[in-house]
Amino acid sequence: MVQFQNLFVMPLTILNTFWDAYSVTMVRILRTEQIWKAGILSTPEKDENLLKDAIFNIMDAIRRNVESKRLRYKDKVLPHVFVMNTYWYIYMRTKSTELGKLMGDQYMKKTYKIVAEESAYSYQKQAWGPLRMLTEKNSRELTKTDLLLWWYEGNGGVH
């Protein structure tokens, strides 16, 4: 399987390191930003909410980045492999960390694990479905032309 995880190692590593080492400093920065935007007399949010909102915004930006890269593939199979691998990596890398606890197990499963599993299923269906249908045709033998036609159609007629 193609490994795409290096694209997201740094952001996740940074987020995990951030949480462990810089959370107090980040809270001060976010609180200062909140006061500047809302004014001194505004009611400040709790420290945990400030961090949680910032982390969710970062993770949402990563998710949007993955989805935009997914749409760039011309091949029908590779987007499924890319999304499956990337989301599974994000889920596995964050599930037992402070970041995973902050975001919540249900959110992590719904946003990353389930989407990765759905992409794995779509990959199997897209890549192997036509070949399975061809092999199930017992009434005639498969010819080289049948296999080439299957491959050509499965790859969007490109190559």
Side-chain angles (χ1 to χ4, degrees), residues 42-62:
S42 67
T43 307
E45 288 187 45
K46 294 181 181 178
D47 293 349
E48 186 176 313
N49 289 344
L50 288 171
L51 283 174
K52 195 172 187 176
D53 290 345
I55 296 296
F56 271 98
N57 287 338
I58 292 168
M59 294 303 289
D60 189 51
I62 291 172

PDB file of all heavy atoms in Angstrom, residues 42-62:
ATOM      1  N   SER A  42     -15.500  42.288  27.813  1.00  0.00           N
ATOM      2  CA  SER A  42     -16.179  41.051  27.440  1.00  0.00           C
ATOM      3  C   SER A  42     -15.902  39.956  28.467  1.00  0.00           C
ATOM      4  O   SER A  42     -14.938  40.004  29.211  1.00  0.00           O
ATOM      5  CB  SER A  42     -15.720  40.585  26.065  1.00  0.00           C
ATOM      6  OG  SER A  42     -14.371  40.197  26.120  1.00  0.00           O
ATOM      7  N   THR A  43     -16.787  38.980  28.505  1.00  0.00           N
ATOM      8  CA  THR A  43     -16.617  37.836  29.404  1.00  0.00           C
ATOM      9  C   THR A  43     -15.683  36.827  28.740  1.00  0.00           C
ATOM     10  O   THR A  43     -16.001  36.313  27.666  1.00  0.00           O
ATOM     11  CB  THR A  43     -17.976  37.154  29.684  1.00  0.00           C
ATOM     12  OG1 THR A  43     -18.895  38.147  30.130  1.00  0.00           O
ATOM     13  CG2 THR A  43     -17.821  36.060  30.712  1.00  0.00           C
ATOM     14  N   PRO A  44     -14.561  36.543  29.363  1.00  0.00           N
ATOM     15  CA  PRO A  44     -13.613  35.619  28.729  1.00  0.00           C
ATOM     16  C   PRO A  44     -14.101  34.172  28.795  1.00  0.00           C
ATOM     17  O   PRO A  44     -14.805  33.775  29.716  1.00  0.00           O
ATOM     18  CB  PRO A  44     -12.334  35.785  29.554  1.00  0.00           C
ATOM     19  CG  PRO A  44     -12.779  36.316  30.866  1.00  0.00           C
ATOM     20  CD  PRO A  44     -14.052  37.083  30.610  1.00  0.00           C
ATOM     21  N   GLU A  45     -13.727  33.399  27.783  1.00  0.00           N
ATOM     22  CA  GLU A  45     -14.043  31.974  27.771  1.00  0.00           C
ATOM     23  C   GLU A  45     -13.100  31.242  28.713  1.00  0.00           C
ATOM     24  O   GLU A  45     -12.053  31.757  29.090  1.00  0.00           O
ATOM     25  CB  GLU A  45     -13.872  31.405  26.353  1.00  0.00           C
ATOM     26  CG  GLU A  45     -14.929  31.838  25.381  1.00  0.00           C
ATOM     27  CD  GLU A  45     -14.788  31.110  24.058  1.00  0.00           C
ATOM     28  OE1 GLU A  45     -14.591  29.880  24.066  1.00  0.00           O
ATOM     29  OE2 GLU A  45     -14.880  31.784  23.033  1.00  0.00           O
ATOM     30  N   LYS A  46     -13.484  30.032  29.060  1.00  0.00           N
ATOM     31  CA  LYS A  46     -12.612  29.194  29.880  1.00  0.00           C
ATOM     32  C   LYS A  46     -11.375  28.836  29.074  1.00  0.00           C
ATOM     33  O   LYS A  46     -11.425  28.737  27.854  1.00  0.00           O
ATOM     34  CB  LYS A  46     -13.344  27.917  30.301  1.00  0.00           C
ATOM     35  CG  LYS A  46     -14.512  28.176  31.219  1.00  0.00           C
ATOM     36  CD  LYS A  46     -15.163  26.860  31.601  1.00  0.00           C
ATOM     37  CE  LYS A  46     -16.347  27.124  32.507  1.00  0.00           C
ATOM     38  NZ  LYS A  46     -17.032  25.888  32.858  1.00  0.00           N
ATOM     39  N   ASP A  47     -10.274  28.598  29.790  1.00  0.00           N
ATOM     40  CA  ASP A  47      -9.013  28.257  29.129  1.00  0.00           C
ATOM     41  C   ASP A  47      -9.153  27.018  28.247  1.00  0.00           C
ATOM     42  O   ASP A  47      -8.648  26.981  27.134  1.00  0.00           O
ATOM     43  CB  ASP A  47      -7.912  28.007  30.169  1.00  0.00           C
ATOM     44  CG  ASP A  47      -7.551  29.280  30.922  1.00  0.00           C
ATOM     45  OD1 ASP A  47      -7.983  30.374  30.501  1.00  0.00           O
ATOM     46  OD2 ASP A  47      -6.829  29.170  31.925  1.00  0.00           O
ATOM     47  N   GLU A  48      -9.844  26.011  28.744  1.00  0.00           N
ATOM     48  CA  GLU A  48      -9.994  24.769  27.976  1.00  0.00           C
ATOM     49  C   GLU A  48     -10.760  25.014  26.685  1.00  0.00           C
ATOM     50  O   GLU A  48     -10.429  24.444  25.647  1.00  0.00           O
ATOM     51  CB  GLU A  48     -10.688  23.706  28.805  1.00  0.00           C
ATOM     52  CG  GLU A  48     -10.732  22.367  28.107  1.00  0.00           C
ATOM     53  CD  GLU A  48     -11.334  21.277  28.966  1.00  0.00           C
ATOM     54  OE1 GLU A  48     -10.961  21.162  30.139  1.00  0.00           O
ATOM     55  OE2 GLU A  48     -12.184  20.546  28.433  1.00  0.00           O
ATOM     56  N   ASN A  49     -11.779  25.878  26.736  1.00  0.00           N
ATOM     57  CA  ASN A  49     -12.551  26.171  25.523  1.00  0.00           C
ATOM     58  C   ASN A  49     -11.703  26.888  24.480  1.00  0.00           C
ATOM     59  O   ASN A  49     -11.852  26.634  23.290  1.00  0.00           O
ATOM     60  CB  ASN A  49     -13.786  27.001  25.851  1.00  0.00           C
ATOM     61  CG  ASN A  49     -14.833  26.202  26.589  1.00  0.00           C
ATOM     62  OD1 ASN A  49     -14.791  24.979  26.609  1.00  0.00           O
ATOM     63  ND2 ASN A  49     -15.759  26.890  27.217  1.00  0.00           N
ATOM     64  N   LEU A  50     -10.830  27.796  24.931  1.00  0.00           N
ATOM     65  CA  LEU A  50      -9.958  28.494  23.990  1.00  0.00           C
ATOM     66  C   LEU A  50      -9.053  27.510  23.259  1.00  0.00           C
ATOM     67  O   LEU A  50      -8.924  27.551  22.038  1.00  0.00           O
ATOM     68  CB  LEU A  50      -9.104  29.530  24.725  1.00  0.00           C
ATOM     69  CG  LEU A  50      -9.817  30.779  25.223  1.00  0.00           C
ATOM     70  CD1 LEU A  50      -8.889  31.590  26.108  1.00  0.00           C
ATOM     71  CD2 LEU A  50     -10.289  31.606  24.046  1.00  0.00           C
ATOM     72  N   LEU A  51      -8.431  26.620  24.012  1.00  0.00           N
ATOM     73  CA  LEU A  51      -7.543  25.629  23.406  1.00  0.00           C
ATOM     74  C   LEU A  51      -8.312  24.661  22.510  1.00  0.00           C
ATOM     75  O   LEU A  51      -7.878  24.340  21.408  1.00  0.00           O
ATOM     76  CB  LEU A  51      -6.799  24.840  24.484  1.00  0.00           C
ATOM     77  CG  LEU A  51      -5.643  25.559  25.150  1.00  0.00           C
ATOM     78  CD1 LEU A  51      -5.095  24.736  26.300  1.00  0.00           C
ATOM     79  CD2 LEU A  51      -4.557  25.843  24.142  1.00  0.00           C
ATOM     80  N   LYS A  52      -9.446  24.218  22.996  1.00  0.00           N
ATOM     81  CA  LYS A  52     -10.246  23.254  22.240  1.00  0.00           C
ATOM     82  C   LYS A  52     -10.684  23.849  20.909  1.00  0.00           C
ATOM     83  O   LYS A  52     -10.574  23.196  19.863  1.00  0.00           O
ATOM     84  CB  LYS A  52     -11.460  22.851  23.077  1.00  0.00           C
ATOM     85  CG  LYS A  52     -12.168  21.637  22.592  1.00  0.00           C
ATOM     86  CD  LYS A  52     -13.223  21.217  23.600  1.00  0.00           C
ATOM     87  CE  LYS A  52     -13.839  19.895  23.215  1.00  0.00           C
ATOM     88  NZ  LYS A  52     -14.784  19.419  24.208  1.00  0.00           N
ATOM     89  N   ASP A  53     -11.148  25.080  20.923  1.00  0.00           N
ATOM     90  CA  ASP A  53     -11.556  25.734  19.677  1.00  0.00           C
ATOM     91  C   ASP A  53     -10.384  25.881  18.713  1.00  0.00           C
ATOM     92  O   ASP A  53     -10.529  25.642  17.513  1.00  0.00           O
ATOM     93  CB  ASP A  53     -12.161  27.109  19.961  1.00  0.00           C
ATOM     94  CG  ASP A  53     -13.514  27.023  20.639  1.00  0.00           C
ATOM     95  OD1 ASP A  53     -14.119  25.927  20.645  1.00  0.00           O
ATOM     96  OD2 ASP A  53     -13.969  28.053  21.179  1.00  0.00           O
ATOM     97  N   ALA A  54      -9.221  26.269  19.234  1.00  0.00           N
ATOM     98  CA  ALA A  54      -8.037  26.423  18.373  1.00  0.00           C
ATOM     99  C   ALA A  54      -7.620  25.082  17.771  1.00  0.00           C
ATOM    100  O   ALA A  54      -7.316  24.996  16.574  1.00  0.00           O
ATOM    101  CB  ALA A  54      -6.888  27.036  19.168  1.00  0.00           C
ATOM    102  N   ILE A  55      -7.629  24.034  18.573  1.00  0.00           N
ATOM    103  CA  ILE A  55      -7.243  22.701  18.092  1.00  0.00           C
ATOM    104  C   ILE A  55      -8.249  22.204  17.056  1.00  0.00           C
ATOM    105  O   ILE A  55      -7.863  21.660  16.011  1.00  0.00           O
ATOM    106  CB  ILE A  55      -7.132  21.701  19.265  1.00  0.00           C
ATOM    107  CG1 ILE A  55      -6.015  22.112  20.223  1.00  0.00           C
ATOM    108  CG2 ILE A  55      -6.935  20.287  18.767  1.00  0.00           C
ATOM    109  CD1 ILE A  55      -4.643  22.081  19.631  1.00  0.00           C
ATOM    110  N   PHE A  56      -9.533  22.380  17.307  1.00  0.00           N
ATOM    111  CA  PHE A  56     -10.541  21.956  16.337  1.00  0.00           C
ATOM    112  C   PHE A  56     -10.379  22.702  15.009  1.00  0.00           C
ATOM    113  O   PHE A  56     -10.561  22.124  13.946  1.00  0.00           O
ATOM    114  CB  PHE A  56     -11.954  22.144  16.889  1.00  0.00           C
ATOM    115  CG  PHE A  56     -12.458  20.955  17.646  1.00  0.00           C
ATOM    116  CD1 PHE A  56     -12.387  20.906  19.019  1.00  0.00           C
ATOM    117  CD2 PHE A  56     -13.007  19.863  16.979  1.00  0.00           C
ATOM    118  CE1 PHE A  56     -12.838  19.803  19.722  1.00  0.00           C
ATOM    119  CE2 PHE A  56     -13.470  18.755  17.666  1.00  0.00           C
ATOM    120  CZ  PHE A  56     -13.384  18.730  19.040  1.00  0.00           C
ATOM    121  N   ASN A  57     -10.040  23.982  15.080  1.00  0.00           N
ATOM    122  CA  ASN A  57      -9.810  24.754  13.847  1.00  0.00           C
ATOM    123  C   ASN A  57      -8.623  24.200  13.069  1.00  0.00           C
ATOM    124  O   ASN A  57      -8.673  24.094  11.832  1.00  0.00           O
ATOM    125  CB  ASN A  57      -9.594  26.231  14.162  1.00  0.00           C
ATOM    126  CG  ASN A  57     -10.872  26.919  14.576  1.00  0.00           C
ATOM    127  OD1 ASN A  57     -11.969  26.466  14.263  1.00  0.00           O
ATOM    128  ND2 ASN A  57     -10.737  28.021  15.295  1.00  0.00           N
ATOM    129  N   ILE A  58      -7.559  23.830  13.770  1.00  0.00           N
ATOM    130  CA  ILE A  58      -6.376  23.268  13.108  1.00  0.00           C
ATOM    131  C   ILE A  58      -6.716  21.920  12.480  1.00  0.00           C
ATOM    132  O   ILE A  58      -6.371  21.654  11.322  1.00  0.00           O
ATOM    133  CB  ILE A  58      -5.210  23.131  14.105  1.00  0.00           C
ATOM    134  CG1 ILE A  58      -4.713  24.515  14.509  1.00  0.00           C
ATOM    135  CG2 ILE A  58      -4.068  22.304  13.508  1.00  0.00           C
ATOM    136  CD1 ILE A  58      -3.765  24.516  15.693  1.00  0.00           C
ATOM    137  N   MET A  59      -7.395  21.061  13.230  1.00  0.00           N
ATOM    138  CA  MET A  59      -7.749  19.742  12.707  1.00  0.00           C
ATOM    139  C   MET A  59      -8.723  19.863  11.531  1.00  0.00           C
ATOM    140  O   MET A  59      -8.642  19.084  10.579  1.00  0.00           O
ATOM    141  CB  MET A  59      -8.333  18.858  13.812  1.00  0.00           C
ATOM    142  CG  MET A  59      -7.334  18.500  14.902  1.00  0.00           C
ATOM    143  SD  MET A  59      -5.860  17.662  14.304  1.00  0.00           S
ATOM    144  CE  MET A  59      -6.541  16.066  13.878  1.00  0.00           C
ATOM    145  N   ASP A  60      -9.610  20.830  11.576  1.00  0.00           N
ATOM    146  CA  ASP A  60     -10.528  21.050  10.463  1.00  0.00           C
ATOM    147  C   ASP A  60      -9.764  21.525   9.225  1.00  0.00           C
ATOM    148  O   ASP A  60     -10.081  21.125   8.105  1.00  0.00           O
ATOM    149  CB  ASP A  60     -11.611  22.060  10.851  1.00  0.00           C
ATOM    150  CG  ASP A  60     -12.695  22.139   9.802  1.00  0.00           C
ATOM    151  OD1 ASP A  60     -13.227  21.076   9.412  1.00  0.00           O
ATOM    152  OD2 ASP A  60     -13.015  23.272   9.367  1.00  0.00           O
ATOM    153  N   ALA A  61      -8.750  22.349   9.424  1.00  0.00           N
ATOM    154  CA  ALA A  61      -7.921  22.796   8.296  1.00  0.00           C
ATOM    155  C   ALA A  61      -7.178  21.608   7.678  1.00  0.00           C
ATOM    156  O   ALA A  61      -7.076  21.513   6.443  1.00  0.00           O
ATOM    157  CB  ALA A  61      -6.930  23.862   8.759  1.00  0.00           C
ATOM    158  N   ILE A  62      -6.688  20.695   8.496  1.00  0.00           N
ATOM    159  CA  ILE A  62      -6.021  19.492   7.985  1.00  0.00           C
ATOM    160  C   ILE A  62      -7.021  18.650   7.196  1.00  0.00           C
ATOM    161  O   ILE A  62      -6.716  18.166   6.097  1.00  0.00           O
ATOM    162  CB  ILE A  62      -5.387  18.681   9.133  1.00  0.00           C
ATOM    163  CG1 ILE A  62      -4.206  19.441   9.718  1.00  0.00           C
ATOM    164  CG2 ILE A  62      -4.945  17.304   8.654  1.00  0.00           C
ATOM    165  CD1 ILE A  62      -3.630  18.820  10.976  1.00  0.00           C
TER     166      ILE A  62
END
